[in-house]
Amino acid sequence: MVNYKKFTLDNGLRVLVHEDPTTAMACLNILYDVGARDESEDKTGFAHLFEHLMFGGSVNIPNYDAPLQRVGGENNAFTSNDITNYYITLPAANLETAFWLESDRMLSLAFSEQSLEVQRNVVCEEFKQRYLNQPYGDVWLKLRPLAYKTHPYRWATIGKELKHIEEAGMEDVKAFFYKHYNPQSAIMVVAGAVNFEEVKSLTEKWFADIPAGETYVRNIPQEPVQTEARKEIVYADVPLDNIFMTFHGPDRLADGYHAVDLISDILSRGQSSRLYRSLVKEKQLFSEINAYVMGSIDTNLFVLEGKPSEGISLEEGEAAIWEELERLKTDEITENELIKVKNKIESTMVFAELSILDKAMNLAYYELLGDANQLNLETQKYLAVTDAEIKKQAKTIFTKENSSTLYYYAKETEHAE
């Protein structure tokens, strides 16, 4: 159980406070309700670029890291297709430093051509190293547009193509900042050895005067129901063939999401999971295979990926995967199998409550989803899932017409079509 108190400033900033007297540390986490899905198709990668720019200094604090390091603090951030999240952990006695730093860059980020040039180059190098020049690095640059045809999830967080970052101009950057980086688009969570009244006082001192920002209506084109199987074949300089399969499933807030998430654990969590036991250990068709759910706020994806064993073709591997998916629709899921995956989910949720950073990030995310208290109800939703619900979801999503399959061949296989 993660207890918290909440208040909202007049400018729209939502603030949640979790008091944890068992630690001497504090965490200040700010989630901005902006991700790659909020970008336009001709200017992608901006949410991630902005994550980097936010560390380039503000008007009053040219070096973000220096004052934080002096008080024993650490910071980082991440961007997804749905959100951008920044966090600071530091000794609770120095909490005000975190308020000072985060409020100043929310109010007055320094827009310098030098900072933009530096961070643009950093992101471009990241694009090249992690996505273009790394084995299998471009998988999601290919798989997303295969699975999505309308929704902006069809491009990765890094961006659709390198030139969008290379051509990012100052006016583009400023427009993005003023639209998304403001109090009404932010959720702040302060957790650790903190006091609610103190946090409220510091929040009013440092954030109350920041303008709320202009209200806008998010208008994201929704993905239509997929009605035919999709397939793409790629040849690349990689060591082994690989297969990737995606299926559209329930959105993060939809009924059925928790059942589908449990399906991914039944299939591939641990060495007693179905795919490992059957396809890796017994039949030795794959050297490794995994299943997972993307967890996206909008239209979701269930993903299967695996490397067939030597001498096994991707066609054989795909057929074996389909056999296991069909089994899931018809065979009984034993009580022990269901209890096992539920216990693992429960232990993961309990373990997350040991970290003030995890608690802060989770509270912010569930507040974005609509109600931070849903974090405390999440485990029960998983425990309530039945065998019948799992079969229902398996029958619904694991169909040929709902599938997008990527055959990723090592060049030396010279597979003939």
Side-chain angles (χ1 to χ4, degrees):
M1 184 78 174
V2 182
N3 297 309
Y4 66 93
K5 296 178 182 178
K6 175 185 172 182
F7 63 94
T8 303
L9 296 183
D10 290 342
N11 59 16
L13 178 66
R14 285 176 277 174
V15 185
L16 286 74
V17 183
H18 168 67
E19 299 176 353
D20 183 352
T22 66
T23 178
M25 301 296 289
C27 173
L28 188 151
N29 186 92
I30 295 187
L31 181 154
Y32 287 94
D33 184 11
V34 57
R37 66 175 176 161
D38 295 296
E39 300 162 348
S40 58
E41 187 174 3
D42 61 340
K43 294 177 182 177
T44 64
F46 270 62
H48 177 248
L49 173 62
F50 230 93
E51 176 201 321
H52 286 258
L53 285 171
M54 285 288 278
F55 292 97
S58 54
V59 171
N60 300 306
I61 309 168
N63 187 332
Y64 181 88
D65 289 326
L68 187 59
Q69 290 169 353
R70 282 199 293 270
V71 297
E74 297 180 346
N75 71 91
N76 215 326
F78 64 87
T79 310
S80 74
N81 286 73
D82 293 318
I83 65 171
T84 309
N85 193 85
Y86 301 85
Y87 57 88
I88 293 174
T89 55
L90 75 176
N94 300 323
L95 179 61
E96 190 164 7
T97 299
F99 276 84
W100 169 55
L101 289 168
E102 288 295 353
S103 65
D104 199 66
R105 65 177 178 178
M106 181 188 287
L107 174 65
S108 51
L109 188 67
F111 293 105
S112 72
E113 289 290 352
Q114 180 184 1
S115 176
L116 176 57
E117 181 66 21
V118 168
Q119 298 305 329
R120 191 165 46 204
N121 289 337
V122 168
V123 173
C124 285
E125 283 305 308
E126 180 183 348
F127 198 120
K128 293 172 185 175
Q129 291 180 13
R130 292 183 56 190
Y131 295 85
L132 301 182
N133 300 328
Q134 184 170 295
Y136 313 106
D138 64 347
V139 162
W140 282 102
L141 300 182
K142 300 181 183 300
L143 199 52
R144 280 187 176 277
L146 183 64
Y148 294 106
K149 299 302 179 183
T150 304
H151 195 286
Y153 284 160
R154 65 187 184 276
W155 55 81
T157 306
I158 193 70
K160 187 178 179 181
E161 49 189 294
L162 190 57
K163 75 172 186 176
H164 289 179
I165 302 301
E166 293 173 334
E167 297 174 356
M170 183 59 71
E171 291 308 310
D172 298 325
V173 167
K174 285 184 177 180
F176 193 86
F177 177 79
Y178 289 120
K179 181 177 182 179
H180 299 291
Y181 278 76
N182 51 59
Q184 67 177 357
S185 295
I187 299 169
M188 183 167 73
V189 179
V190 184
V194 299
N195 173 271
F196 176 77
E197 293 302 330
E198 177 193 11
V199 169
K200 191 172 184 181
S201 176
L202 288 172
T203 303
E204 290 169 347
K205 175 182 177 181
W206 290 104
F207 287 90
D209 292 338
I210 301 176
E214 292 187 16
T215 301
Y216 75 96
V217 177
R218 178 181 268 129
N219 186 21
I220 295 177
Q222 293 304 298
E223 187 70 17
V225 174
Q226 185 174 338
T227 57
E228 60 181 6
R230 299 168 186 159
K231 190 172 185 177
E232 185 174 337
I233 296 173
V234 174
Y235 298 89
D237 187 14
V238 295
L240 298 168
D241 295 347
N242 211 327
I243 184 172
F244 299 85
M245 300 170 65
T246 69
F247 302 86
H248 292 280
D251 301 351
R252 184 61 184 79
L253 290 172
D255 292 338
Y257 172 81
H258 297 86
V260 173
D261 198 17
L262 282 178
I263 288 175
S264 70
D265 286 357
I266 289 170
L267 288 175
S268 79
R269 188 167 183 174
Q271 295 189 359
S272 62
S273 63
R274 290 192 174 195
L275 293 180
Y276 182 88
R277 194 174 63 246
S278 175
L279 303 188
V280 177
K281 191 174 180 180
E282 295 174 5
K283 299 178 182 176
Q284 298 183 5
L285 297 176
F286 282 83
S287 58
E288 61 179 85
I289 189 165
N290 294 290
Y292 52 92
V293 179
M294 297 296 284
S296 305
I297 290 178
D298 289 337
T299 173
N300 222 331
L301 281 186
F302 188 101
V303 185
L304 286 147
E305 59 178 73
K307 292 183 174 65
S309 301
E310 186 175 357
I312 304 299
S313 70
L314 292 181
E315 290 86 354
E316 290 174 297
E318 182 185 0
I321 291 173
W322 275 109
E323 284 183 20
E324 293 300 322
L325 296 180
E326 290 301 319
R327 279 187 54 214
L328 198 61
K329 300 176 186 179
T330 56
D331 291 4
E332 178 189 4
I333 298 169
T334 66
E335 185 177 354
N336 285 340
E337 188 175 24
L338 202 49
I339 289 174
K340 180 189 68 176
V341 293
K342 288 180 178 181
N343 286 344
K344 287 182 178 179
I345 288 282
E346 189 169 18
S347 65
T348 299
M349 298 293 288
V350 170
F351 185 76
E353 291 187 15
L354 301 178
S355 161
I356 57 170
L357 175 57
D358 285 346
K359 287 186 283 188
M361 288 195 296
N362 285 334
L363 282 171
Y365 183 66
Y366 280 87
E367 179 67 16
L368 177 70
L369 293 180
D371 179 8
N373 192 54
Q374 289 300 311
L375 170 61
N376 295 315
L377 306 177
E378 192 75 344
T379 300
Q380 291 306 314
K381 292 180 180 179
Y382 281 105
L383 296 180
V385 172
T386 64
D387 169 55
E389 287 179 86
I390 287 176
K391 280 191 172 62
K392 176 184 175 183
Q393 289 300 325
K395 291 176 182 176
T396 300
I397 69 173
F398 297 134
T399 65
K400 294 284 186 179
E401 58 268 23
N402 190 37
S403 67
S404 297
T405 306
L406 179 66
Y407 278 11
Y408 205 101
Y409 283 108
K411 280 183 179 177
E412 58 267 24
T413 61
E414 296 183 354
H415 180 83
E417 282 297 311

